[in-house]
mmCIF file of all heavy atoms in Angstrom:
data_model
loop_
_atom_site.group_PDB
_atom_site.id
_atom_site.type_symbol
_atom_site.label_atom_id
_atom_site.label_comp_id
_atom_site.label_asym_id
_atom_site.label_seq_id
_atom_site.Cartn_x
_atom_site.Cartn_y
_atom_site.Cartn_z
ATOM 1 N N ARG A 182 -75.865 10.408 -149.487
ATOM 2 C CA ARG A 182 -75.221 9.202 -150.025
ATOM 3 C C ARG A 182 -75.619 7.998 -149.168
ATOM 4 O O ARG A 182 -74.808 7.381 -148.491
ATOM 5 C CB ARG A 182 -73.707 9.405 -150.065
ATOM 6 C CG ARG A 182 -73.310 10.662 -150.835
ATOM 7 C CD ARG A 182 -71.812 10.829 -150.937
ATOM 8 N NE ARG A 182 -71.244 9.858 -151.861
ATOM 9 C CZ ARG A 182 -69.952 9.552 -151.902
ATOM 10 N NH1 ARG A 182 -69.101 10.094 -151.033
ATOM 11 N NH2 ARG A 182 -69.512 8.665 -152.772
ATOM 12 N N SER A 211 -72.518 5.712 -151.115
ATOM 13 C CA SER A 211 -71.312 6.055 -150.355
ATOM 14 C C SER A 211 -70.067 5.456 -150.994
ATOM 15 O O SER A 211 -70.138 4.525 -151.800
ATOM 16 C CB SER A 211 -71.433 5.545 -148.916
ATOM 17 O OG SER A 211 -71.373 4.121 -148.897
ATOM 18 N N ASP A 212 -68.906 5.982 -150.600
ATOM 19 C CA ASP A 212 -67.635 5.491 -151.128
ATOM 20 C C ASP A 212 -67.495 3.976 -150.949
ATOM 21 O O ASP A 212 -67.144 3.245 -151.877
ATOM 22 C CB ASP A 212 -66.465 6.163 -150.415
ATOM 23 C CG ASP A 212 -66.241 7.594 -150.855
ATOM 24 O OD1 ASP A 212 -66.983 8.084 -151.727
ATOM 25 O OD2 ASP A 212 -65.301 8.227 -150.323
ATOM 26 N N ALA A 213 -67.722 3.515 -149.724
ATOM 27 C CA ALA A 213 -67.508 2.103 -149.435
ATOM 28 C C ALA A 213 -68.444 1.224 -150.252
ATOM 29 O O ALA A 213 -68.045 0.161 -150.754
ATOM 30 C CB ALA A 213 -67.710 1.831 -147.941
ATOM 31 N N GLY A 266 -61.045 18.507 -157.935
ATOM 32 C CA GLY A 266 -60.446 17.763 -156.833
ATOM 33 C C GLY A 266 -61.274 16.570 -156.409
ATOM 34 O O GLY A 266 -60.746 15.468 -156.196
ATOM 35 N N GLU A 267 -62.596 16.770 -156.305
ATOM 36 C CA GLU A 267 -63.460 15.651 -155.899
ATOM 37 C C GLU A 267 -63.586 14.617 -157.012
ATOM 38 O O GLU A 267 -63.613 13.408 -156.739
ATOM 39 C CB GLU A 267 -64.837 16.170 -155.491
ATOM 40 C CG GLU A 267 -65.835 15.088 -155.111
ATOM 41 C CD GLU A 267 -65.436 14.234 -153.918
ATOM 42 O OE1 GLU A 267 -64.398 14.532 -153.272
ATOM 43 O OE2 GLU A 267 -66.172 13.267 -153.619
ATOM 44 N N ALA A 269 -61.300 13.859 -159.193
ATOM 45 C CA ALA A 269 -60.050 13.092 -159.187
ATOM 46 C C ALA A 269 -60.066 12.035 -158.086
ATOM 47 O O ALA A 269 -59.646 10.886 -158.283
ATOM 48 C CB ALA A 269 -58.856 14.030 -159.003
ATOM 49 N N ARG A 270 -60.576 12.437 -156.915
ATOM 50 C CA ARG A 270 -60.674 11.479 -155.804
ATOM 51 C C ARG A 270 -61.598 10.320 -156.168
ATOM 52 O O ARG A 270 -61.298 9.160 -155.875
ATOM 53 C CB ARG A 270 -61.198 12.207 -154.556
ATOM 54 C CG ARG A 270 -61.095 11.392 -153.272
ATOM 55 C CD ARG A 270 -61.917 12.024 -152.161
ATOM 56 N NE ARG A 270 -63.345 11.922 -152.423
ATOM 57 C CZ ARG A 270 -64.065 10.821 -152.169
ATOM 58 N NH1 ARG A 270 -63.495 9.742 -151.668
ATOM 59 N NH2 ARG A 270 -65.360 10.802 -152.420
ATOM 60 N N MET A 271 -62.716 10.625 -156.817
ATOM 61 C CA MET A 271 -63.653 9.572 -157.186
ATOM 62 C C MET A 271 -63.069 8.652 -158.259
ATOM 63 O O MET A 271 -63.316 7.441 -158.239
ATOM 64 C CB MET A 271 -64.975 10.182 -157.648
ATOM 65 C CG MET A 271 -65.683 10.989 -156.587
ATOM 66 S SD MET A 271 -67.446 11.259 -156.914
ATOM 67 C CE MET A 271 -68.147 9.847 -156.049
ATOM 68 N N LEU A 272 -62.301 9.199 -159.173
ATOM 69 C CA LEU A 272 -61.660 8.347 -160.175
ATOM 70 C C LEU A 272 -60.743 7.328 -159.505
ATOM 71 O O LEU A 272 -60.713 6.153 -159.894
ATOM 72 C CB LEU A 272 -60.867 9.199 -161.173
ATOM 73 C CG LEU A 272 -61.686 10.030 -162.159
ATOM 74 C CD1 LEU A 272 -60.753 10.907 -162.995
ATOM 75 C CD2 LEU A 272 -62.522 9.141 -163.075
ATOM 76 N N ARG A 273 -60.013 7.774 -158.501
ATOM 77 C CA ARG A 273 -59.137 6.842 -157.773
ATOM 78 C C ARG A 273 -59.967 5.821 -156.997
ATOM 79 O O ARG A 273 -59.601 4.640 -156.925
ATOM 80 C CB ARG A 273 -58.214 7.619 -156.838
ATOM 81 C CG ARG A 273 -57.174 8.454 -157.572
ATOM 82 C CD ARG A 273 -56.133 9.033 -156.631
ATOM 83 N NE ARG A 273 -56.676 10.081 -155.782
ATOM 84 C CZ ARG A 273 -56.665 11.375 -156.077
ATOM 85 N NH1 ARG A 273 -56.131 11.786 -157.214
ATOM 86 N NH2 ARG A 273 -57.169 12.261 -155.231
ATOM 87 N N LEU A 274 -61.083 6.260 -156.419
ATOM 88 C CA LEU A 274 -61.970 5.334 -155.707
ATOM 89 C C LEU A 274 -62.489 4.251 -156.641
ATOM 90 O O LEU A 274 -62.453 3.069 -156.304
ATOM 91 C CB LEU A 274 -63.143 6.130 -155.110
ATOM 92 C CG LEU A 274 -64.291 5.307 -154.523
ATOM 93 C CD1 LEU A 274 -63.858 4.594 -153.257
ATOM 94 C CD2 LEU A 274 -65.509 6.196 -154.243
ATOM 95 N N PHE A 275 -62.966 4.651 -157.816
ATOM 96 C CA PHE A 275 -63.531 3.680 -158.753
ATOM 97 C C PHE A 275 -62.457 2.725 -159.271
ATOM 98 O O PHE A 275 -62.756 1.573 -159.606
ATOM 99 C CB PHE A 275 -64.183 4.391 -159.938
ATOM 100 C CG PHE A 275 -65.290 5.346 -159.567
ATOM 101 C CD1 PHE A 275 -65.731 6.294 -160.475
ATOM 102 C CD2 PHE A 275 -65.888 5.312 -158.304
ATOM 103 C CE1 PHE A 275 -66.749 7.186 -160.139
ATOM 104 C CE2 PHE A 275 -66.896 6.204 -157.965
ATOM 105 C CZ PHE A 275 -67.319 7.140 -158.881
ATOM 106 N N LEU A 277 -60.279 1.565 -157.505
ATOM 107 C CA LEU A 277 -59.942 0.789 -156.308
ATOM 108 C C LEU A 277 -58.553 1.145 -155.778
ATOM 109 O O LEU A 277 -57.821 0.315 -155.255
ATOM 110 C CB LEU A 277 -60.049 -0.723 -156.567
ATOM 111 C CG LEU A 277 -61.435 -1.192 -157.018
ATOM 112 C CD1 LEU A 277 -61.468 -2.705 -157.226
ATOM 113 C CD2 LEU A 277 -62.528 -0.774 -156.027
ATOM 114 N N GLN A 278 -58.216 2.441 -155.948
ATOM 115 C CA GLN A 278 -57.017 2.996 -155.336
ATOM 116 C C GLN A 278 -57.437 3.726 -154.077
ATOM 117 O O GLN A 278 -58.606 4.006 -153.858
ATOM 118 C CB GLN A 278 -56.324 3.964 -156.303
ATOM 119 C CG GLN A 278 -55.869 3.329 -157.605
ATOM 120 C CD GLN A 278 -55.251 4.333 -158.553
ATOM 121 O OE1 GLN A 278 -55.097 5.514 -158.237
ATOM 122 N NE2 GLN A 278 -54.897 3.875 -159.748
ATOM 123 N N ASP A 279 -56.478 4.085 -153.222
ATOM 124 C CA ASP A 279 -56.794 4.821 -151.998
ATOM 125 C C ASP A 279 -57.216 6.229 -152.390
ATOM 126 O O ASP A 279 -56.434 7.009 -152.916
ATOM 127 C CB ASP A 279 -55.567 4.872 -151.094
ATOM 128 C CG ASP A 279 -55.845 5.595 -149.787
ATOM 129 O OD1 ASP A 279 -57.025 5.857 -149.493
ATOM 130 O OD2 ASP A 279 -54.873 5.904 -149.060
ATOM 131 N N ALA A 280 -58.471 6.575 -152.158
ATOM 132 C CA ALA A 280 -58.983 7.867 -152.594
ATOM 133 C C ALA A 280 -59.210 8.847 -151.449
ATOM 134 O O ALA A 280 -59.616 9.970 -151.669
ATOM 135 C CB ALA A 280 -60.311 7.660 -153.353
ATOM 136 N N GLY A 281 -58.975 8.453 -150.211
ATOM 137 C CA GLY A 281 -59.266 9.345 -149.099
ATOM 138 C C GLY A 281 -60.765 9.419 -148.857
ATOM 139 O O GLY A 281 -61.561 8.716 -149.456
ATOM 140 N N ALA A 282 -61.160 10.318 -147.997
ATOM 141 C CA ALA A 282 -62.580 10.438 -147.639
ATOM 142 C C ALA A 282 -63.218 11.582 -148.404
ATOM 143 O O ALA A 282 -62.574 12.578 -148.719
ATOM 144 C CB ALA A 282 -62.708 10.660 -146.130
ATOM 145 N N ALA A 283 -64.493 11.444 -148.684
ATOM 146 C CA ALA A 283 -65.229 12.512 -149.356
ATOM 147 C C ALA A 283 -65.319 13.724 -148.447
ATOM 148 O O ALA A 283 -65.455 13.608 -147.237
ATOM 149 C CB ALA A 283 -66.627 12.033 -149.723
ATOM 150 N N SER A 284 -65.258 14.908 -149.056
ATOM 151 C CA SER A 284 -65.369 16.151 -148.285
ATOM 152 C C SER A 284 -66.832 16.426 -147.970
ATOM 153 O O SER A 284 -67.691 16.041 -148.704
ATOM 154 C CB SER A 284 -64.784 17.300 -149.080
ATOM 155 O OG SER A 284 -63.444 17.051 -149.397
#
Side-chain angles (χ1 to χ4, degrees):
R182 305 183 72 197
S211 69
D212 285 359
E267 177 61 6
R270 191 193 69 81
M271 298 199 92
L272 288 175
R273 291 189 289 268
L274 170 69
F275 301 164
L277 301 181
Q278 299 177 3
D279 182 12
S284 302

